[in-house]
Amino acid sequence: MELDLSPRLPKKVYGGDGGSYFAWCPEELPMLREGNIGAAKLALEKYGLALPRYSDSSKVAYILQGSGTAGIVLPEKEEKVIEIKKGDSIALPFGVVTWWFNNADTELVILFLGETHKGHKAGQFTDFYLTGSNGIFTGFSTEFVGRAWDLDETTVKKLVGSQTGNGIVKVDASLKMPSPRKGDREGFVLNCLEAPLDVDIKDGGRVVVLNTKNLPLVGEVGFGADLVRIDGHSMCSPGFSCDSALQVTYIVGGSGRVQVVGADGKRVLETHVKAGALFIVPRFFVVSKIADSDGLSWFSIVTTPDPIFTHLAGKTSVWKALSPEVLQAAFKVAPEVEKTFRSKRTSDAIFFPPPH
């Protein structure tokens, strides 16, 4: 059976006055289940609070829009209260407890991408809430909770039963939430819009790679990520992950065309993408993108902490490494055609500006 690689939009799972939670469904995007990948979005309105929770999957969070505050508690560690803003990437290993709060007028939107191979459902995150109508302590008897917390029955019932919201609530404007603490961002957050560029091609594109060097927690998460921005009508060189990693791509902004080629030279995807869409490139498949006039940007995870890519155009491509005689024989062309081919794309660029 052929895999459907078509880009998809997420569906609303739950929400209310405080905001909404959206997720991509394995039934509509089969590569999620095939690759054990989860993808979701959290959108918080002003004074919206995503209640404390932990997940069955490690993730990377990327702030798509707005600003706010995040609380992060690693196992057996103190809470980190972090200011978050557009462009921030945060690695969230197994066992981390998080909460998210928006105190600004602009909607706060957070993308979550991660692996589900240890999760309860392939291709889908399962969150466990500490409070709320579906909080884990609503399932324990009053006796068990009272003994665990050393509290009387009346107090237990107030603590467990007062919050009737589910997952996301809207807090009263008069409630003073924790303020971000200076220094808590260090080691937890990398802003991809402010970080040093790993690739910068004039009139072509820019890349910031999230890896164990600039964010050590990536090693605990188990996969890397990057933010790629290409200019209008520019092209991202055809390439593939040569360490058997999947590429999970979310379109952050702009629009453009995508082609993916698989085994036997078969084009398995040709589509137009725009902001909000997500698609997955299978292992070793070759992908290339061309931006529309408004440019194209995407945030991706690659299912290895320090990914390695092979590009099939440009100075560093495999074509330039192969012997001229091999290329002549492989393409079945005359020497002058091989020379013309080799003389093109002599820079290290992986992004190509539009032809003049």
Side-chain angles (χ1 to χ4, degrees):
M1 183 178 71
E2 293 186 0
L3 285 176
D4 181 5
L5 302 182
S6 302
R8 301 291 184 186
L9 298 174
K11 287 192 172 183
K12 183 176 177 179
V13 179
Y14 63 84
D17 292 340
S20 300
Y21 181 84
F22 304 83
W24 280 265
C25 175
E27 285 71 32
E28 293 189 355
L29 191 57
M31 275 302 299
L32 290 173
R33 185 182 291 108
E34 292 287 331
N36 263 310
I37 299 295
K41 276 203 301 189
L42 176 66
L44 295 178
E45 304 293 339
K46 187 173 185 179
Y47 302 128
L49 170 67
L51 295 172
R53 69 198 65 195
Y54 62 93
S55 177
D56 65 350
S57 304
S58 56
K59 308 173 185 175
V60 168
Y62 181 74
I63 313 303
L64 294 167
Q65 175 184 300
S67 61
T69 308
I72 300 176
V73 183
L74 293 172
E76 308 298 324
K77 302 290 185 181
E78 293 184 355
E79 179 187 52
K80 300 287 186 180
V81 181
I82 297 171
E83 178 186 11
I84 56 175
K85 59 184 178 178
K86 182 178 179 180
D88 280 350
S89 291
I90 307 170
L92 302 173
F94 284 111
V96 66
V97 172
T98 62
W99 55 264
W100 311 84
F101 179 65
N102 182 16
N103 59 354
D105 293 329
T106 303
E107 187 179 44
L108 172 62
V109 184
I110 306 167
L111 173 71
F112 298 96
L113 300 176
E115 288 191 317
T116 65
H117 66 279
K118 293 184 179 179
H120 287 268
K121 301 175 183 177
Q124 202 169 334
F125 298 136
T126 300
D127 289 336
F128 295 83
Y129 304 92
L130 301 189
T131 66
S133 61
N134 60 344
I136 56 175
F137 281 98
T138 62
F140 284 104
S141 67
T142 304
E143 177 195 2
F144 270 66
V145 178
R147 290 189 63 176
W149 292 348
D150 192 23
L151 295 172
D152 61 72
E153 183 177 344
T154 301
T155 305
V156 167
K157 287 181 177 179
K158 286 181 180 178
L159 280 171
V160 176
S162 296
Q163 179 56 268
T164 58
N166 173 4
I168 300 171
V169 299
K170 188 171 186 176
V171 303
D172 192 279
S174 64
L175 180 64
K176 183 172 174 58
M177 294 293 288
S179 298
R181 293 193 287 262
K182 189 176 181 180
D184 277 5
R185 278 175 62 94
E186 187 176 347
F188 280 84
V189 182
L190 179 77
N191 188 280
C192 294
L193 301 178
E194 300 173 355
L197 297 171
D198 293 280
V199 178
D200 186 9
I201 306 300
K202 184 180 178 181
D203 299 324
R206 290 149 296 283
V207 182
V208 170
V209 178
L210 190 70
N211 55 33
T212 55
K213 296 179 182 65
N214 52 25
L215 196 61
L217 273 177
V218 167
E220 294 187 37
V221 169
F223 49 84
D226 59 26
L227 176 69
V228 182
R229 293 167 285 168
I230 62 176
D231 298 324
H233 301 298
S234 291
M235 179 185 196
C236 181
S237 166
F240 65 94
S241 171
C242 57
D243 47 9
S244 75
L246 292 163
Q247 298 177 59
V248 186
T249 299
Y250 174 86
I251 305 300
V252 173
S255 59
R257 291 177 289 148
V258 177
Q259 290 187 357
V260 177
V261 176
D264 299 321
K266 184 177 181 181
R267 189 184 308 155
V268 293
L269 179 67
E270 180 169 15
T271 190
H272 186 267
V273 293
K274 57 183 180 180
L278 181 137
F279 65 96
I280 301 174
V281 179
R283 293 176 176 86
F284 301 110
F285 282 37
V286 179
V287 59
S288 184
K289 309 174 185 75
I290 297 179
D292 290 339
S293 59
D294 53 347
L296 182 65
S297 60
W298 61 89
F299 184 81
S300 297
I301 66 167
V302 182
T303 55
T304 181
D306 294 296
I308 302 172
F309 289 95
T310 293
H311 290 276
L312 299 178
K315 182 180 178 181
T316 58
S317 76
V318 66
W319 300 119
K320 304 297 184 182
L322 289 171
S323 305
E325 296 81 5
V326 172
L327 290 186
Q328 291 173 36
F331 281 126
K332 198 178 179 180
V333 294
E336 57 269 22
V337 176
E338 188 279 330
K339 288 181 181 178
T340 300
F341 174 69
R342 188 178 293 275
S343 69
K344 301 295 184 180
R345 300 293 187 208
T346 56
S347 73
D348 292 332
I350 60 170
F351 303 122
F352 309 132
H356 296 294

